[in-house]
Amino acid sequence: MTRSPVKVLYIDDEENNLLAFKASFRRQYEIYTANSAAEGLKVLENLPVEVIIADQKMPQTTGVEFFKSITDTYPDPVRILLTGYTDISALADAINHGDIYRYITKPWNDLELHNSIKNAHDAYRSKIDLRNKVKELEKTNDELNRFIYSISHELRAPLVSVIGIVNLVKMEGLYNSSGEYWELIESCSNKLDYYIQKTLQYYKNNKNLSDKSEINFKKLVDDIIDLYSYTDRDTQFKLNINQPHPFIGDAFRLEVILGNLISNAIKYQKDTEDHKIVDIAIDVNPFSAEISITDNGLGILNEHLEKIFTQFFKTKNNKGSGMGLFIVKEALNKMNGKISVKSSLNQGTTFKITIPNAN
């Protein structure tokens, strides 16, 4: 397939230069000329130009000023500046603010200018191709995320039924009637449900727009503890929630953040610990919520502290999917929040979070 000729716009207030340019390059390129920045703008409004060449020294406006003026409205065409004199400050300004591909001194050399236009067009095509590939990738990624969400959602319905059946077996006193089978079914079902919920959380966090509402931290934390404490009834919770000011924030993402951190604090307790404790402190001021979650569990190696927020990062003793803390960090990024962690092996871990108050 033959490509159409490169569309080049040349702007110069000297008519002789315009005629010379057209005579030199009309066989190689599709040439458009303008004798002022205003005329050049009219050409851009009506034609898909790929390379723009502008003279620096023009009466109404300079080439650099023209390039600056079209940076937002016409970002794709590649710019070449022609200058008949050496002005270092103008060239620096052109490179820094005008998004200039290169500059050429006048009078130009035909071969040099030809090579510059060819290279500029290659840069233009690379930019457009990259943008198209990014769009395709975003579309594919979105379709994949939708598929994963749909499958995860459909899988969870029968799984919840299995968990419900296990609970009925417990209520009828038959849980231990078949050796360890019911316990294995319950353990595998809970683990699969955990992975599915993390997948759903990841999808919703990426897709959901910020939904601001008033947050009652006492109720939110109590609900999360009720939801996750069944996994280890021996864990005790110490709450210190000080909320003298209203807090406005994203309820869904706050639940995801606190849910993951509190469930981890329970999950990574030491089996041999007689006094399993999770200490939750929340202080709300007019500008932010300062949250601290401390446990006396297994702790984290110092060499792993910088990696724990990485997607799918798992240590040898990791009982999770490697998604929980990654989702926490992503949710905090959406809320402009910050998180830090301190940990000592076999002594426990403290997560500290700051979330801006949108009140």
Side-chain angles (χ1 to χ4, degrees):
M1 182 177 174
T2 306
R3 279 191 176 183
S4 59
V6 180
K7 295 177 177 62
V8 180
L9 169 62
Y10 175 36
I11 306 169
D12 196 321
D13 63 309
E14 295 183 29
E15 190 68 30
N16 288 338
N17 288 337
L18 297 177
L19 293 172
F21 181 82
K22 189 172 260 189
S24 298
F25 298 108
R26 70 181 187 279
R27 296 177 186 273
Q28 296 154 300
Y29 307 112
E30 190 172 322
I31 304 293
Y32 301 95
T33 58
N35 58 13
S36 68
E39 288 298 316
L41 193 57
K42 287 181 182 178
V43 175
L44 287 174
E45 288 170 354
N46 294 284
L47 292 166
V49 172
E50 297 161 324
V51 178
I52 305 173
I53 302 170
D55 184 35
Q56 167 63 4
K57 196 173 182 181
M58 295 186 288
Q60 286 82 18
T61 183
T62 66
V64 171
E65 288 169 345
F66 172 71
F67 285 141
K68 281 183 188 178
S69 71
I70 64 169
T71 298
D72 294 328
T73 47
Y74 300 99
D76 292 333
V78 179
R79 297 111 156 92
I80 296 174
L81 184 71
L82 280 179
T83 177
Y85 57 96
T86 304
D87 185 340
I88 298 301
S89 62
L91 294 178
D93 196 34
I95 293 166
N96 292 333
H97 302 290
D99 194 21
I100 309 298
Y101 176 72
R102 67 167 301 173
Y103 75 92
I104 295 175
T105 56
K106 291 169 67 178
W108 67 76
N109 174 281
D110 281 3
L111 180 60
E112 180 188 9
L113 187 52
H114 167 68
N115 288 334
S116 296
I117 294 171
K118 183 178 178 299
N119 292 337
H121 181 254
D122 289 341
Y124 171 84
R125 288 305 325 161
S126 296
K127 184 194 298 187
I128 299 302
D129 290 345
L130 179 60
R131 181 189 301 156
N132 291 336
K133 286 176 182 176
V134 168
K135 283 182 180 178
E136 288 176 14
L137 185 60
E138 286 174 346
K139 182 184 175 187
T140 302
N141 189 53
D142 184 58
E143 289 172 352
L144 180 61
N145 278 336
R146 288 176 184 274
F147 174 75
I148 291 172
Y149 176 79
S150 177
I151 290 296
S152 300
H153 195 271
E154 293 300 320
L155 281 174
R156 193 158 189 261
L159 185 60
V160 169
S161 298
V162 172
I163 294 170
I165 291 168
V166 173
N167 288 330
L168 285 174
V169 168
K170 284 182 177 180
M171 289 171 61
E172 294 178 7
L174 301 173
Y175 188 73
N176 298 315
S177 63
S178 302
E180 298 179 354
Y181 292 137
W182 284 113
E183 184 180 351
L184 287 170
I185 291 171
E186 181 181 35
S187 174
C188 292
S189 298
N190 286 334
K191 188 175 291 186
L192 182 56
D193 188 43
Y194 171 82
Y195 289 140
I196 289 173
Q197 287 194 64
K198 288 292 171 283
T199 302
L200 294 173
Q201 282 182 0
Y202 173 73
Y203 177 84
K204 288 179 180 177
N205 180 56
N206 276 345
K207 285 296 173 187
N208 283 11
L209 296 174
S210 183
D211 181 20
K212 293 185 173 64
S213 57
E214 187 164 351
I215 307 297
N216 182 329
F217 278 102
K218 178 69 169 64
K219 184 177 184 310
L220 178 60
V221 171
D222 284 344
D223 289 345
I224 291 171
I225 290 172
D226 286 342
L227 182 63
Y228 291 107
S229 60
Y230 77 92
T231 58
D232 190 341
R233 298 292 182 186
D234 295 331
T235 301
Q236 297 178 3
F237 293 88
K238 292 184 177 180
L239 305 183
N240 181 13
I241 299 175
N242 178 34
Q243 189 173 2
H245 303 279
F247 184 88
I248 304 298
D250 189 321
F252 165 72
R253 291 191 170 96
L254 268 170
E255 185 176 348
V256 166
I257 292 164
L258 294 176
N260 276 290
L261 293 176
I262 291 172
S263 66
N264 279 358
I266 299 169
K267 188 188 304 174
Y268 294 106
Q269 287 287 347
K270 292 174 284 190
D271 294 332
T272 56
E273 178 62 54
D274 294 328
H275 303 288
K276 301 174 182 178
I277 297 171
V278 176
D279 195 329
I280 301 171
I282 300 176
D283 186 63
V284 178
N285 60 58
F287 310 104
S288 64
E290 307 292 333
I291 302 169
S292 173
I293 299 175
T294 302
D295 65 68
N296 61 339
L298 294 168
I300 305 166
L301 287 169
N302 283 335
E303 62 203 66
H304 292 156
L305 287 178
E306 292 184 1
K307 304 174 186 175
I308 59 174
F309 298 106
T310 306
Q311 191 174 19
F312 302 125
F313 176 74
K314 295 177 73 172
T315 63
K316 236 180 0 179
N317 299 322
N318 198 317
K319 303 174 185 179
S321 62
M323 285 288 289
L325 290 177
F326 171 75
I327 293 171
V328 166
K329 191 72 165 62
E330 289 292 295
L332 278 167
N333 287 342
K334 300 275 187 181
M335 302 173 70
N336 297 317
K338 296 179 181 178
I339 187 168
S340 62
V341 57
K342 289 185 179 179
S343 187
S344 297
L345 199 61
N346 292 319
Q347 292 183 32
T349 303
T350 296
F351 286 94
K352 289 191 175 180
I353 304 164
T354 299
I355 301 175
N357 191 345
N359 187 19

